[in-house]
Amino acid sequence: MAINGFMSRLFSKTTMKRRSVLAALAGFAAFSMLTVTAPLTPAHADDEAAEAFVASLGKDAIMILGDETLGQEETEAKFRTILLDAMDIRRVGLFALGQYARLPTPEERDTYFDLLGDFIVEVYLGRLTGYSNEEFVVTGSNEKGKKGREVIVDSKTVFQDGREPLKVNWWLLRNKDGSFNVFDVNVEGIWMAQEQRGTFTSHIRNNGGKFSALIDHLRAQTGAKATANGASDAAPAETPEAAG
């Protein structure tokens, strides 16, 4: 009887230990399931507002470029309006100057921003001409950085003749009121503002650090249209510091 009692107690303790181990394993498995299947944080989720902004801008641009009832000057004027209204010209302009952002006088800076607007319009018209009457599709978006101020929106233009779709990425800046401005656009793998930054800084450096040399260069590129058009259509809320 004593032996039977001892064996019974031993078996009972062993069973309890086994149940404890099984319970622990079950708890760990449940925790693992929760960890694996829990939804990801929305930090990199699609931004519907940013996508809607780009979808509207892209479709408007294609509609203008494909409108055969418009003459060349009217097409350029309408395209200029929607593009410069959407862009943060001052932020783009300061970024493009790089280490020379503090070089110009206030008068030179105003002239530079005016000329830059015309220059950007001509560059984008040159890149996008021939993409009219096509289908513009936004394919997704991701937050850039951790501050929630920048979004990259992906899009593509689908051609009716079966050509490979043209992929375009839009780098947007989120304003305090929730609206957006375009900071840069990547067409065929080239970020345009970054490309111009290299061009502009090299032009100033190669001309003895004279900002007037860049002004002359932009005037030559645009035919000095800024004088006729007046101030840039862009109206940023404030003048940001030059991006690094």
Side-chain angles (χ1 to χ4, degrees), residues 59-76 78-79 125 128 130-134:
K59 290 177 181 178
D60 287 347
I62 286 180
M63 185 178 299
I64 290 171
L65 295 175
D67 190 344
E68 297 180 354
T69 66
L70 300 177
Q72 181 177 351
E73 290 187 2
E74 193 174 3
T75 296
E76 183 175 332
K78 287 180 175 292
F79 184 80
L125 274 174
L128 298 178
Y131 298 145
S132 58
N133 295 324
E134 311 296 346

Side-chain angles (χ1 to χ4, degrees), residues 19-169:
R19 287 175 178 172
S20 298
V21 172
L22 291 174
L25 289 174
F28 177 76
F31 175 77
S32 299
M33 290 279 293
L34 288 173
T35 303
V36 172
T37 61
L40 298 176
T41 60
H44 298 287
D46 287 352
D47 191 312
E48 294 182 359
E51 292 180 12
F53 172 81
V54 170
S56 176
L57 179 59
K59 290 177 181 178
D60 287 347
I62 286 180
M63 185 178 299
I64 290 171
L65 295 175
D67 190 344
E68 297 180 354
T69 66
L70 300 177
Q72 181 177 351
E73 290 187 2
E74 193 174 3
T75 296
E76 183 175 332
K78 287 180 175 292
F79 184 80
R80 172 191 172 88
T81 297
I82 66 166
L83 181 61
L84 297 189
D85 280 349
M87 296 196 76
D88 189 333
I89 288 295
R90 286 183 172 269
R91 180 71 179 269
V92 174
L94 291 172
F95 173 83
L97 292 179
Q99 69 267 37
Y100 299 109
R102 299 182 183 276
L103 179 62
T105 65
E107 293 76 14
E108 287 177 327
R109 180 175 290 188
D110 289 342
T111 300
Y112 165 69
F113 287 140
D114 289 344
L115 289 168
L116 181 64
D118 290 293
F119 179 78
I120 288 175
V121 169
E122 292 201 3
V123 169
Y124 279 74
L125 274 174
R127 296 282 178 90
L128 298 178
T129 296
Y131 298 145
S132 58
N133 295 324
E134 311 296 346
E135 183 182 6
F136 181 82
V137 181
V138 172
T139 57
S141 60
N142 281 286
E143 292 285 344
K144 179 176 175 60
K146 299 180 179 179
K147 296 182 179 180
R149 299 176 183 173
E150 303 172 52
V151 185
I152 301 294
V153 177
D154 304 321
S155 69
K156 64 180 179 180
T157 299
V158 180
F159 298 101
Q160 298 178 1
D161 59 8
R163 283 181 289 165
E164 188 72 17
L166 175 72
K167 295 182 179 180
V168 180
N169 307 110

Side-chain angles (χ1 to χ4, degrees), residues 4-17:
N4 289 337
F6 172 77
M7 293 299 294
S8 177
R9 288 194 299 274
L10 179 62
F11 179 80
S12 177
K13 290 180 179 179
T14 302
T15 302
M16 290 177 64
K17 289 182 179 180

